[in-house]
Every structure is written in C-alpha cells, then in structure tokens.
Amino acid sequence: MAKEFISTVRLFLCSFAVLGMLSSCDDDDSNKEPSSDTVEFTATANKTFYYGNSYQDADEYSIMISDKPSDIYGNTTAGSTNYILGVYAEAKYYEYGKAQLTEGTYRLDTANTYAAGTMAADWSRFCYTDENMQDHILYFTDGTLTVSREDDNTYLLELVATDEQGKKHHATYKGEINLLDERRESNLPSSNLKDDVNIDFTDISVDAVYLGSQRAEGVDQWYFTFNPKGNEGHFIFMYLNTTATNGMTTDTFLGTFTACEGFYPNSSYTPGTFMAGNSYNNVFEGSHYTYLTDVAQFVVSSKAALTGGSVTITRNEETDTYTIDCNLEDAYGHHIKGTWTGKPEFLDKSQPDASKALIRQKH
C-alpha cells in the first residue's frame, strides 16, 4: 500500500505556492530567508482521494487544496499553488457504501506512524509549479489540519503549519468535497457524481474502433468513444465484447450490451457485455464517463467508472445511420443516460500496421 500511495502522490505533480515565494521554494535558494513570516492562502479547488484501512487500523486520505483545478489524474497546471496532505483517520469500514472525509483535527506526525489522527510528514507538503512546470517543494516540520463540516455539501479545511524554512502557513478551503474512492481491496470504482447525468448528444461525434480477438478466443472487442465537438462536454469511453469474426464488420455490435461481471482488468469477456470500469492509481481503466471542461488539456470536472446498466445499438438500413441508446450506471446508482444518432467513424486497429487510423482516445 505504501508504494501505491507514493505513486499516487507523485501523480499530483505538485503545483503549488504563492508567486512571491518562488525564490524561497527553489531548491537552489533553499537557504535564503523567506520574504515574509506567514503565507495566507485561500484555496478554491479540492481533490480528495480515499484509500481505506491502510496503516495502524486507520483510514487513509490524500487531500489537495489549490487555487487552480487539477485534471483527472490529479495533475495541476502551471503557475498553481497547492497543499498536499496525507491524512489518517479512525477506520470506518465503509465496505461498498460511499465514504466520507472524517471530521477532526490531524497533527503532523514527523515519525510517520500513519496512526489515526495524524498527518504524515512524508506525504504532506507545500509546492509551487512554475510556468515551466518545474516544482518547488517545501515539507512541514509541524502543523495541524482541522476538518469540519458545515452542512451536507460544505466542508471547511484549515491548515496551520510551519515549513522547513521556518515560514508559517495558514491555508483554508471552504466548499464541496467529492471524495474519490480508490480502495484496492474492494475494487470499488471511482465516481464523483452526485446526481444523475442526462446527456444531449447533439454536439458529440462517435468513433467505433475494432480491436479484433486480442483478449479471449472467440470474442472480438471494440471500443467506442463519444467525443465533444467543442472544447467542453461529455466524453464516454466503452469497451464492447462481441462474437469473434474474421475481420471488422459494422453489424457485429448491434444489440444490447449489459455490464460484465467483475471490474476491469479481471472482467469476463462474454459477447453481449461491455467491460465495467475501475480506477487504479487514479487512472481509469475499462469503461468510463467524464465531463471535460477543457478537451485539449483533458481537464475533468466530473467522472465515473461505468459499472452497470446497458447500451443498445441499432442501425437504420435505409439511411445507414446508427442509434446508440445509453442507460448506464456508476457504482453508487447514478444514471448516465442519453441517445446518440448518426454514423460513427469506423477504425480498424486489429492489426499492428493499423496505426494509420487516428484515435481520439485521451489516455
């Protein structure tokens, strides 16, 4: 679990601090006196991951508060200020229920015991990523994080800490916390949806990509991507399992596909199913839904692994157009619905030399 947490924290690519602190955060200037005694910081964005019971019978969280939103992987943008905090709370054993960030006060633990009520010094730091994507990092020598909940949708996070240069930090975040559940032992997929999603597919194109029999004998696999035409919109990635053929045909995927048993990558490869999604190290695998606020940079505001429901594909013989009816679900029962009509772009990627086809898959 320690290695998994380390790799996850590194994925954040630390992007943090006030511009006035650039010189004091740079590794080359680590011995210089800081320009002021205290950093006052109000965060506007939050990313919180939950890892379940990891150490010393404690639940593990990774919390990042920032002045700029991060992408689906937790990577922040150039010029952003962030605090990353490794927090350990009394284990709650949520099983498959939706986990919550536990209220309380967490004290910096320089011994890194990962005990409940602590904030691990190894995982907690302040960092600024400059315009060249260079990271400037400072760890803490003491401090506390207070987590309180004002109502169902509003949390208050307050960090008071001292960094290794002696500078005081007072950082706060007030707002929603959509917890991303990354428990390896339960294979519970990630979702930060709070409501059902009804999709207008008017400005969305579809790629239908044939992979052939690459995973299981007698089974062909396709993946479909629903791509926003503008710089913002809904994006869906789905693996479909069909009966194997001797090449790409544009009718083998007609019919209704339901979620397969188990989560990717241990899913069954049964014709007539779509591969359920999961999240490992904060990266989606299998079928998933995201809402992109920036298509070019793949910046995500909403995401959900697809674990239930169905997708039905039909074709109008006269017009040679296809209708794809989505009635999908995440692990918490939220519905992702919508109907797309048109002609997909068909791409054959079943052969190694099929790289001529440009796939708009983002990850």
Side-chain angles (χ1 to χ4, degrees):
M1 185 63 205
K3 290 182 178 178
E4 293 171 4
F5 187 82
I6 292 170
S7 63
T8 299
V9 174
R10 285 175 178 169
L11 278 172
F12 282 136
L13 293 182
C14 305
S15 299
F16 326 139
V18 180
L19 285 172
M21 292 196 61
L22 245 176
S23 60
S24 65
C25 291
D26 198 314
D27 291 340
D28 294 337
D29 298 330
S30 59
N31 294 321
K32 290 185 177 180
E33 284 295 320
S35 57
S36 61
D37 292 333
T38 304
V39 176
E40 292 286 346
F41 179 75
T42 301
T44 56
N46 169 269
K47 191 82 89 178
T48 299
F49 296 91
Y50 172 66
Y51 297 94
N53 181 14
S54 303
Y55 298 101
Q56 302 292 326
D57 199 31
D59 278 349
E60 178 183 12
Y61 300 84
S62 177
I63 302 172
M64 181 172 68
I65 58 175
S66 174
D67 59 354
K68 293 184 180 180
S70 60
D71 67 11
I72 187 175
Y73 308 110
N75 302 324
T76 55
T77 54
S80 61
T81 300
N82 296 260
Y83 291 81
I84 294 177
L85 309 169
V87 169
Y88 297 84
E90 183 179 350
K92 296 292 186 181
Y93 303 103
Y94 288 103
E95 296 297 334
Y96 288 92
K98 190 161 186 176
Q100 302 290 337
L101 179 60
T102 303
E103 295 180 72
T105 298
Y106 303 88
R107 299 188 180 280
L108 190 76
D109 178 15
T110 56
N112 297 297
T113 62
Y114 313 120
T118 67
M119 181 170 56
D122 278 357
W123 311 135
S124 303
R125 69 231 197 209
F126 164 90
C127 176
Y128 175 75
T129 297
D130 63 28
E131 296 298 334
N132 296 317
M133 294 302 294
Q134 297 298 307
D135 297 332
H136 308 268
I137 300 170
L138 290 173
Y139 287 89
F140 300 118
T141 58
D142 63 60
T144 60
L145 172 70
T146 303
V147 177
S148 58
R149 192 170 185 175
E150 298 190 352
D151 54 47
D152 287 343
N153 297 318
T154 304
Y155 281 83
L156 176 63
L157 307 182
E158 184 173 14
L159 174 72
V160 179
T162 304
D163 68 32
E164 56 195 320
Q165 291 185 343
K167 185 182 289 291
K168 303 292 184 181
H169 294 256
H170 180 221
T172 59
Y173 169 80
K174 184 176 182 179
E176 290 186 323
I177 293 181
N178 293 317
L179 201 71
L180 302 174
D181 195 324
E182 298 291 337
R183 283 175 285 178
R184 306 305 193 273
E185 62 270 23
S186 67
N187 284 331
L188 185 65
S190 290
S191 173
N192 67 357
L193 299 184
K194 302 187 70 175
D195 298 296
D196 294 343
V197 178
N198 294 307
I199 301 175
D200 180 357
F201 280 107
T202 303
D203 294 320
I204 292 177
S205 63
V206 172
D207 289 344
V209 182
Y210 176 65
L211 298 176
S213 300
Q214 299 182 0
R215 294 184 178 271
E217 184 177 354
V219 179
D220 276 353
Q221 196 167 60
W222 291 73
Y223 70 75
F224 278 59
T225 61
F226 298 75
N227 312 292
K229 293 181 180 179
N231 195 44
E232 180 177 353
H234 305 275
F235 174 81
I236 297 177
F237 181 89
M238 292 193 70
Y239 281 112
L240 302 182
N241 297 314
T242 68
T243 301
T245 61
N246 292 322
M248 185 179 77
T249 63
T250 57
D251 59 359
T252 185
F253 50 74
L254 299 180
T256 297
F257 296 80
T258 57
C260 63
E261 296 180 2
F263 300 123
Y264 184 94
N266 298 315
S267 305
S268 60
Y269 298 94
T270 304
T273 65
F274 70 84
M275 187 161 291
N278 208 336
S279 178
Y280 289 92
N281 293 327
N282 308 323
V283 178
F284 272 133
E285 295 176 324
S287 303
H288 57 271
Y289 159 84
T290 56
Y291 187 87
L292 306 178
T293 56
D294 187 330
V295 171
Q297 300 296 321
F298 211 77
V299 177
V300 172
S301 63
S302 301
K303 71 173 188 175
L306 301 175
T307 61
S310 65
V311 57
T312 300
I313 305 176
T314 57
R315 182 176 64 192
N316 186 315
E317 299 286 348
E318 295 182 0
T319 61
D320 195 28
T321 58
Y322 294 77
T323 297
I324 304 176
D325 185 27
C326 298
N327 185 12
L328 305 164
E329 295 180 14
D330 70 2
Y332 304 119
H334 298 118
H335 294 276
I336 299 99
K337 294 183 177 181
T339 301
W340 181 89
T341 300
K343 189 167 185 178
E345 181 178 357
F346 294 102
L347 303 168
D348 188 346
K349 297 290 288 185
S350 60
Q351 302 299 323
D353 61 354
S355 57
K356 57 186 180 182
L358 177 63
I359 309 302
R360 287 196 289 265
Q361 186 183 5
K362 301 294 182 180
H363 53 293

